[in-house]
Amino acid sequence: MNRGERKEFVASHRIAIFGYGRREDGPAMTVVYYVVDGDDILVSTMAARAKARAVERNQKVSLCVLDEQWPPTYVQVSCNAKVVTDPDANVDLAMRIAGVMAGSPMPEDVRPIIAEGVSKENRVVLRLTPYATFETPSRHVHSTDDLNENLVHGLGTSLPW
């Protein structure tokens, strides 16, 4: 994929694996819904969750954006993250995420319900600013005809976002 195709892939999908460093043990990963906001990627989480606490410790995170169709295709994005606590930004994001989950935008009349949930859960926005992507050319086997000398996996490479 070229740069434009990678950005379009991220913009046109809705779920990702969010990766971050833990204080102990290996890296942590969790599935998240996300939305794109200009050049940034936004994730909603509760302030008390490990994702938000990890971003406060170390702004370096990764997203592995997944295609929900078979065969699996993905784009890994390296980001600098920050926690945003602004209540209006959190409600706006929660409205957008609910729309992504539902498959269509949320009507404005549900905003008070969403706002109440955001407040009760003490939600924050994780604003991720991509700076690099890691691409591994995908090779898929759709049938036995694909098993031949042309089915070769190459090495991946880190590319500027």
Side-chain angles (χ1 to χ4, degrees):
M1 283 185 222
N2 65 35
R3 183 176 185 200
E5 290 168 333
R6 290 190 306 275
K7 285 186 171 193
E8 176 57 30
F9 185 92
V10 171
S12 65
H13 288 79
R14 63 186 185 156
I15 59 171
I17 306 297
F18 184 94
Y20 57 93
R22 295 190 292 179
R23 285 185 202 260
E24 297 178 25
D25 303 314
M29 295 173 282
T30 185
V31 175
V32 296
Y33 285 95
Y34 69 90
V35 297
V36 173
D37 183 48
D39 289 333
D40 289 346
I41 300 167
L42 307 179
V43 173
S44 178
T45 192
M46 296 182 334
R49 293 222 177 197
K51 290 184 291 294
R53 293 190 329 266
V55 167
E56 293 288 355
R57 283 192 314 273
N58 181 355
Q59 69 179 12
K60 301 292 185 192
V61 300
S62 296
L63 274 188
C64 183
V65 177
L66 304 172
D67 190 348
E68 296 175 52
Q69 305 299 313
W70 188 261
T73 303
Y74 67 93
V75 171
Q76 182 177 318
V77 185
S78 298
C79 306
N80 290 315
K82 67 180 179 179
V83 176
V84 178
T85 59
D86 175 65
D88 291 334
N90 278 280
V91 173
D92 289 345
L93 177 57
M95 288 283 290
R96 291 181 67 192
I97 293 288
V100 165
M101 294 169 75
S104 63
M106 290 290 106
E108 280 301 310
D109 62 339
V110 303
R111 184 174 285 276
I113 298 165
I114 298 280
E116 183 179 337
V118 165
S119 177
K120 278 184 181 177
E121 294 180 353
N122 192 23
R123 287 200 162 264
V124 296
V125 173
L126 301 180
R127 180 170 285 277
L128 314 179
T129 302
Y131 60 85
T133 184
F134 190 84
E135 178 185 53
T136 301
S138 57
R139 302 289 186 266
H140 299 293
V141 176
H142 301 280
S143 72
T144 56
D145 294 337
D146 294 328
L147 299 173
N148 57 52
E149 65 280 353
N150 296 321
L151 182 68
V152 180
H153 289 82
L155 299 176
T157 186
S158 184
L159 303 166
W161 179 245

